[in-house]
Amino acid sequence: MRVIFLKPAQAGIFICNDTGTKLYVAIGFQENDDWSSRGWFSVSPRECINPVHGALPNRYYYYYAEGGNLVYGGGDNSGFFCIHPKDKFYYSQAPGCTGKNFRRIDVGESDQYTFSLTETSKDPLVAARNCAGYINDGKAAFAKCWMKQVATDKQKHILDCVSQTSSAAAMAVCATKGSLSSDGRRVAECAQEYAETKTPRLLARCLARGQIDEKTEDLIRCATNNSLSSIAICTAGVQMTEKQRRLVNCVAENNQDYKAAATCIVADRLSPEQRTIATA
C-alpha cells in the first residue's frame, strides 16, 4: 500500500516510488532567474515524497533518481543539473560542477502534480513471442522464460534464487540480499547449515549461539533418541524444572520434524520472524 498524505488543495510536486527498491531523488527547477537543484530525497518502496512545496510557478521541472540497479535520468529535453555524489545538496548552476542529466516533466498550469517511478518490463505479448522456442519443452519451460522476460530486476533476482538454492533457508538468504536483519540472517544460515544433518540438537545449538547448558543437552539427547514411552527411563531420577519438562515433551512430540524439535529448544530466544525463518 502506497503511503501518501494529500490535502484537497495541497500544492507542490509529489513523487511516488512504485518499485521494490529504495530510491534517492533529486529535483531541478528555475528559481529567481537561475537554475537550482536539490537532493537527495530518500523514498522507500510504496511511499511518496513532496520535494517541491507550494504553488508551481514554472511549467517545467526536472528530476533524477537512482537506487539499486534503477536509474531515472536523461531523455528528450533533459537538463544538466549539479549534484553532490553522496550528501544532501541545494545548488544553483555553477560551471564545472558534478552533475547529471535530469528528466523533464511538464506540470502544465497545475499547482499539484504527482507521478510515479516504476520498474519497466517488456510487453507480455512480446515476451510470449520471444519465448516461443520453449513451447516444445513444455509449459513449465515456456512459463519460466516468460516470467524472466516480464519480471522486474528484483523479481528476476528472486527467480534466480529459486533456481540456484536447494532449501527454503538458502532461498531466504539469497532473495533478501541484505535486507534481512542480522538476527534473521543468522537464523537462516543456521537452518541452511543443518539442512543436511537434520539434527535438532545441533541446529538448536546454532540458533542459541552455543548457549545451551550441559543438563539441557542431556535432556535433549534423551528426547531425540527415545519415544515418549521410553523417555521416563532416561530421565529417571533427574530433577527437572517445569520449563525443562515442557522442552523434553515438545522435542519428543516433534521428533519426526528436526526443525520443529530444534525450535522447541530455543522457542523463548526467537522472535516470530525468526521462528518462521527457522521452520521454513
Side-chain angles (χ1 to χ4, degrees):
M1 178 179 178
R2 181 192 298 162
V3 178
I4 180 169
F5 304 97
L6 289 179
K7 297 177 182 177
Q10 190 171 356
I13 291 177
F14 298 85
I15 302 176
C16 299
N17 181 358
D18 281 349
T19 77
T21 303
K22 178 183 283 190
L23 298 175
Y24 297 89
V25 180
I27 195 84
F29 52 93
Q30 192 170 21
E31 183 180 46
N32 300 324
D33 297 323
D34 201 356
W35 289 96
S36 299
S37 57
R38 65 173 73 166
W40 297 99
F41 300 94
S42 173
V43 53
S44 297
R46 318 311 295 177
E47 290 187 346
C48 300
I49 56 169
N50 177 207
V52 179
H53 301 273
L56 302 177
N58 305 320
R59 175 174 177 178
Y60 299 114
Y61 289 81
Y62 299 78
Y63 74 93
Y64 176 87
E66 61 181 36
N69 296 321
L70 303 175
V71 176
Y72 305 82
D76 295 338
N77 301 309
S78 62
F80 183 87
F81 289 86
C82 297
I83 66 163
H84 190 284
K86 296 180 180 179
D87 299 335
K88 288 185 177 296
F89 61 89
Y90 191 166
Y91 293 144
S92 291
Q93 293 293 83
C97 71
T98 298
K100 297 285 187 180
N101 285 318
F102 285 29
R103 289 185 184 180
R104 191 178 80 172
I105 52 176
D106 184 349
V107 304
E109 297 180 358
S110 173
D111 275 336
Q112 184 185 102
Y113 187 84
T114 301
F115 71 100
S116 298
L117 300 174
T118 61
E119 294 183 70
T120 58
S121 60
K122 290 186 178 179
D123 182 277
L125 292 177
V126 173
R129 286 196 293 269
N130 291 343
C131 295
Y134 288 87
I135 293 176
N136 292 334
D137 296 328
K139 292 181 180 179
F142 174 80
K144 183 177 180 180
C145 173
W146 184 85
M147 285 190 291
K148 290 292 288 286
Q149 289 275 322
V150 300
T152 64
D153 287 344
K154 190 172 185 66
Q155 290 167 338
K156 287 178 183 176
H157 172 69
I158 293 173
L159 289 170
D160 287 339
C161 289
V162 171
S163 61
Q164 293 169 6
T165 55
S166 57
S167 70
M171 197 279 196
V173 172
C174 177
T176 50
K177 198 181 180 180
S179 62
L180 201 63
S181 67
S182 58
D183 285 339
R185 186 177 183 86
R186 178 181 59 80
V187 170
E189 287 172 346
C190 286
Q192 181 181 354
E193 182 178 353
Y194 292 99
E196 295 283 335
T197 61
K198 294 181 170 55
T199 306
R201 181 172 55 84
L202 297 179
L203 173 56
R205 183 188 291 169
C206 181
L207 294 173
R209 300 184 180 184
Q211 297 176 3
I212 298 178
D213 61 78
E214 187 175 340
K215 181 178 180 180
T216 301
E217 286 262 14
D218 289 339
L219 293 172
I220 295 167
R221 289 191 187 91
C222 172
T224 53
N225 294 328
N226 294 277
S227 64
L228 276 170
S229 59
S230 303
I231 287 176
I233 298 174
C234 65
T235 59
V238 178
Q239 294 294 320
M240 288 189 288
T241 64
E242 183 57 34
K243 179 179 177 180
Q244 289 171 329
R245 195 176 302 281
R246 287 198 304 269
L247 181 153
V248 169
N249 290 334
C250 184
V251 171
E253 290 170 358
N254 290 280
N255 231 339
Q256 302 304 310
D257 184 343
Y258 79 99
K259 291 181 180 179
T263 305
C264 289
I265 301 166
V266 292
D268 59 341
R269 302 170 189 248
L270 302 180
S271 68
E273 176 202 38
Q274 291 170 324
R275 283 197 292 274
T276 299
I277 295 170
T279 56

